[in-house]
Amino acid sequence: MSEPFLSEGWVAALAERGAALPEVPGADLVLQHEIAGAPDGKVRFHLEWRNGQLATAAIGKHAEPDVMVQAKAPDALRVLRGELSPDVAFMQGRLKIDGAYRTLLIDLREWRLSEPYRELWNAMAELTD
């Protein structure tokens, strides 16, 4: 079953799959995403990572995110599908990151490049309409 990119069903599937990731002590971060140009307009959702596992994934704003990530829907979809590196998208200005960007891009890089983490996003790409 596929889900439209950034829909409530898509975020729910992400929450379920992300919660099953192996524990990685110290991989803690609250990300607020704002994706412009989605079929229903701007989509806001947040992810709370605790020890490498997705503790929360929900539509809407988080009261105190560590990092704000902003992108246009086509660029976000290319990142999801692995067609565009998040690091390259950031350097090109296609992905804007405010807040604790060093934590996301540098300190947690090894975790972001780990096989289980990449498998999560590959599975989400396959699920996506």
Side-chain angles (χ1 to χ4, degrees):
M1 181 175 163
S2 62
E3 292 287 344
F5 184 46
L6 305 174
S7 68
E8 287 188 34
W10 188 89
V11 173
L14 175 59
E16 181 180 328
R17 292 168 186 220
L21 289 176
E23 260 192 50
V24 177
D28 300 325
L29 199 62
V30 177
L31 296 160
Q32 175 68 53
H33 294 266
E34 288 191 4
I35 310 300
D40 293 331
K42 185 183 286 187
V43 175
R44 292 181 176 99
F45 69 99
H46 59 274
L47 307 175
E48 293 185 44
W49 295 97
R50 297 288 174 241
N51 291 319
Q53 297 175 320
L54 196 50
T56 304
I59 298 289
K61 287 185 174 183
H62 190 278
E64 296 183 39
D66 300 315
V67 177
M68 168 70 76
V69 178
Q70 295 174 305
K72 293 182 180 173
D75 291 327
L77 191 53
R78 288 186 64 216
V79 168
L80 173 67
R81 290 183 174 149
E83 299 165 0
L84 177 64
S85 158
D87 298 335
V88 170
F90 175 69
M91 289 185 283
Q92 292 177 342
R94 294 177 181 208
L95 186 68
K96 294 185 171 85
I97 302 174
D98 291 320
Y101 69 91
R102 178 179 165 66
T103 301
L104 176 63
L105 294 177
I106 298 169
D107 299 343
L108 295 177
R109 182 176 175 78
E110 185 176 323
W111 168 65
R112 288 187 304 110
L113 296 177
S114 71
E115 187 173 333
Y117 185 84
R118 286 304 324 144
E119 286 176 358
L120 167 66
W121 293 109
N122 289 339
M124 291 307 299
E126 289 176 14
L127 176 78
T128 302
D129 278 346

